[in-house]
Structure formats: structure tokens, C-alpha cells
């Protein structure tokens, strides 16, 4: 067994007996393919009343939390794409999950078009334009100067690591956007300019850090001044930062930072600047839940 988690998405409402039988069939198919299936509507509906709008909403939200750690979503289309399935599929698309289709050969035009759109992911240029658009909304002197600097570097094409998450061209850009979405979700009431700066720029330390090899990437550090603190220094060359932004970006590696074992610096940073902890957690969520891992390049 591959031990890859797979979220099973199929209808429940309507002909419940038929749909439960179908969900069981899809779950069995996933197991036989070596996957570890998660089929929330087979068991959450045993504890909550799907006919009650409030309990249905609770069940849907609980199920979507189970989607986060899954590598792929299996979409069972034998009986069409229900409203609940659409919601799950849209969330899976936003999380960047891989799609697996079962019995989708006879969908109507509307459902087929929806799945085609959801299974298409932004290319590098689209992600670049999204990044520029988000950062351009920040009201801070130096933003345009910083964007011009980024354009002169390999930021938009660099990998996020040598062999782990985002170990492919454009991985750093993709990771930065994923961290932004995660951080905004974690801190909905925080200042949007600060969230945008902290999330989108926390890893600029990786600019010109990786060198392409025949079988992947390797480190080629030209400015060995640390990790988070390096990002802070590079940003400050072009744009001012608040103390909160400096602290969050500097400590976004959390306990993985080599400074963390020396005294209480990390604990003090998290105590005085909750954003530092939230940025670290958003970074981990993006790495483990949203991005491809392993030597897939």
C-alpha cells in the first residue's frame, strides 16, 4: 500500500441508499489501488442529521478538514456532480490537490465543463501575475522598487527546495502564494498589508540559492547570513518593514531555525509577536498539505 491519503467525493443526498452503496464501492476501489481512502459522508452522516441545515454544514466543514492532508481527491461521477461535491471539488482545487476521476465519462455538459475547469491549475505566468497583483495593493513606500528587484532575480522561476516541497521550477512562487492563503485564513482580522508582506516575501532568502543539476537542484549559497534574517535584510534594501513584520519573517522557520536552541529567543518572539507563530504554522501547512513533496522533478 502506498499510504497516500485519498479523499472520496461522491453524492449523498437524494437516493441515499444508492449513494451510500456507491461511496462504499469507491472506497473499495481506492483501497485496491493501494490508497488510504477518507470517505466522510459514510460516517459523519451516521452522527449528524444531513437533513438539518446546521448539522449538514457542520458535517461538511468537518469533512473538509479531512481533505487537507489528502494527496488526491477521487471524484465519483456516476450519478452526476451534486452541490456538496462541487463545494468539495472547489476546495480541493484551491488546495492544489491531484484529481482522480471515476465513472465520469457520461457527465452532462455542465458537470463536464466544471470538472475540466477545476482540474486546470494556474501556470507559472498566471501565478506571477497573481503575486504582483497582491503585492501591488500594499500601501508602502518601496513596493514598486521591490517588485522591480524581484523581476531581476530568479524568484519567479526558482524551486522552493532541493528535493522536498516545491522542488521544481516555480516552486518558490507557488509556495509563497500558498503561505499567503494559509496565513490570511489563520489571521482574518489582521492588517492585510502586513499579512501580504510576511507571507509573500518570507522566503526571498531563496533567491539565487539553488543551482540546477542533471538530477535536480543543489544549494549554491552566495550570502550565508541565515534564513529568515536574510529575507529581512534583502527586503529592507528596497522597502521598510514594521517590527512585527521583521520578527515574523525572521522567525518563520520556528524550531527549525538554528537560533531556536540558544536561550529563549524563539519563545520570546512568539510571545511578543503572535504573527511569527502564525506565519510559521502557515508555512508548515502549505508545505505539508498544499504542495508536492519528494523527488518528483
Amino acid at each position: 500500500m502506498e499510504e497516500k491519503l485519498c479523499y472520496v467525493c461522491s453524492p449523498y443526498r437524494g437516493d441515499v441508499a444508492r449513494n451510500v452503496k456507491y461511496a462504499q464501492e469507491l472506497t473499495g476501489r481506492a483501497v485496491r489501488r493501494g490508497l488510504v481512502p477518507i470517505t466522510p459522508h459514510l460516517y459523519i452522516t451516521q452522527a449528524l442529521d444531513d437533513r438539518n441545515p446546521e448539522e449538514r454544514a457542520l458535517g461538511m466543514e468537518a469533512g473538509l478538514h479531512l481533505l487537507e492532508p489528502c494527496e488526491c481527491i477521487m471524484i465519483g461521477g456516476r450519478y452526476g456532480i451534486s452541490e456538496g461535491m462541487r463545494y468539495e471539488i472547489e476546495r480541493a482545487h484551491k488546495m492544489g490537490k491531484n484529481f482522480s476521476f471515476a465513472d465520469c465519462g457520461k457527465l452532462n455538459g455542465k458537470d463536464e465543463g466544471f470538472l475540466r475547469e477545476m482540474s486546470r491549475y494556474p501556470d507559472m505566468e498566471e501565478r506571477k501575475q497573481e503575486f504582483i497583483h497582491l503585492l501591488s495593493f500594499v500601501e508602502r513606500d518601496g513596493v514598486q522598487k521591490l517588485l522591480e528587484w524581484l523581476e531581476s532575480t530568479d524568484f519567479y522561476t526558482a524551486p522552493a527546495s532541493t528535493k522536498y516541497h516545491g522542488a521544481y521550477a516555480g516552486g518558490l512562487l507557488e509556495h509563497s502564494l500558498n503561505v499567503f492563503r494559509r496565513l490570511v485564513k489563520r489571521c482574518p482580522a489582521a492588517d492585510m498589508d502586513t499579512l501580504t508582506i510576511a507571507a509573500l516575501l518570507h522566503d526571498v532568502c531563496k533567491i539565487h540559492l539553488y543551482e540546477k543539476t542533471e538530477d535536480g537542484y543543489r544549494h549554491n549559497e552566495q550570502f550565508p547570513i541565515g534564513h529568515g534574517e536574510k529575507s529581512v535584510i534583502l527586503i529592507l534594501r528596497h522597502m521598510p518593514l514594521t517590527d512585527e513584520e521583521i520578527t515574523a519573517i525572521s522567525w518563520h522557520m520556528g524550531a527549525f531555525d538554528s537560533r531556536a536552541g540558544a536561550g529563549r529567543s524563539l519563545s520570546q518572539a512568539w510571545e511578543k509577536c503572535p504573527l511569527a507563530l502564525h506565519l510559521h504554522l502557515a508555512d508548515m501547512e502549505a508545505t505539508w498539505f498544499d504542495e508536492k513533496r519528494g523527488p518528483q522533478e
Side-chain angles (χ1 to χ4, degrees), residues 14 21 29 41 218 244 246 252 264:
K21 185 176 180 180
R29 286 197 217 174
H41 51 303
R218 67 184 177 195
E244 183 183 28
I246 290 172
H252 78 264
R264 293 186 63 252

Side-chain angles (χ1 to χ4, degrees), residues 136-155:
S136 294
F137 271 100
V138 172
E139 296 183 357
R140 184 77 57 85
D141 290 342
V143 168
Q144 291 305 316
K145 181 181 176 184
L146 184 137
L147 282 169
E148 291 172 5
W149 168 65
L150 289 177
E151 188 69 44
S152 71
T153 71
D154 67 345
F155 177 82

Side-chain angles (χ1 to χ4, degrees), residues 71-220:
E71 180 168 313
C72 67
I73 178 170
M74 176 186 283
I75 300 168
R78 180 180 296 169
Y79 305 114
I81 306 299
S82 68
E83 178 185 351
M85 291 175 67
R86 280 178 172 265
Y87 185 55
E88 292 173 324
I89 293 166
E90 287 173 348
R91 289 287 289 270
H93 172 78
K94 290 179 180 178
M95 293 179 187
K97 303 299 181 185
N98 294 319
F99 281 38
S100 173
F101 302 104
D103 311 315
C104 291
K106 296 183 179 180
L107 291 173
N108 61 41
K110 180 181 178 181
D111 287 346
E112 183 180 356
F114 170 72
L115 288 187
R116 186 181 299 113
E117 178 63 24
M118 288 297 100
S119 59
R120 187 189 76 84
Y121 290 97
D123 60 24
M124 198 182 303
E125 182 59 30
E126 289 175 311
R127 289 195 179 103
K128 176 181 175 180
Q129 293 308 314
E130 179 184 2
F131 180 96
I132 293 172
H133 177 75
L134 289 169
L135 203 56
S136 294
F137 271 100
V138 172
E139 296 183 357
R140 184 77 57 85
D141 290 342
V143 168
Q144 291 305 316
K145 181 181 176 184
L146 184 137
L147 282 169
E148 291 172 5
W149 168 65
L150 289 177
E151 188 69 44
S152 71
T153 71
D154 67 345
F155 177 82
Y156 297 115
T157 59
S161 69
T162 56
K163 59 181 179 179
Y164 301 108
H165 72 108
Y168 40 82
L172 177 57
L173 172 60
E174 180 182 355
H175 174 68
S176 302
L177 290 168
N178 286 336
V179 172
F180 170 77
R181 296 184 190 102
R182 290 282 180 175
L183 188 61
V184 169
K185 182 178 178 182
R186 297 188 67 86
C187 308
D191 180 78
M192 183 56 68
D193 282 1
T194 287
L195 295 183
T196 303
I197 289 168
L200 294 184
L201 303 176
H202 75 285
D203 263 351
V204 295
C205 56
K206 295 180 178 179
I207 287 173
H208 298 312
L209 176 62
Y210 302 117
E211 185 177 77
K212 191 79 174 76
T213 64
E214 290 185 1
D215 54 356
Y217 293 90
R218 67 184 177 195
H219 281 90
N220 183 27

Side-chain angles (χ1 to χ4, degrees), residues 3-7 36 38 63-72 95 97 182 285 288-290:
E3 298 185 358
K4 292 180 179 178
L5 296 178
C6 174
Y7 188 95
V36 180
I38 292 179
L64 288 170
H65 279 295
L66 295 173
L67 172 61
E68 290 191 351
C70 294
E71 180 168 313
C72 67
M95 293 179 187
K97 303 299 181 185
R182 290 282 180 175
E285 289 172 341
W288 288 94
F289 296 151
D290 300 334

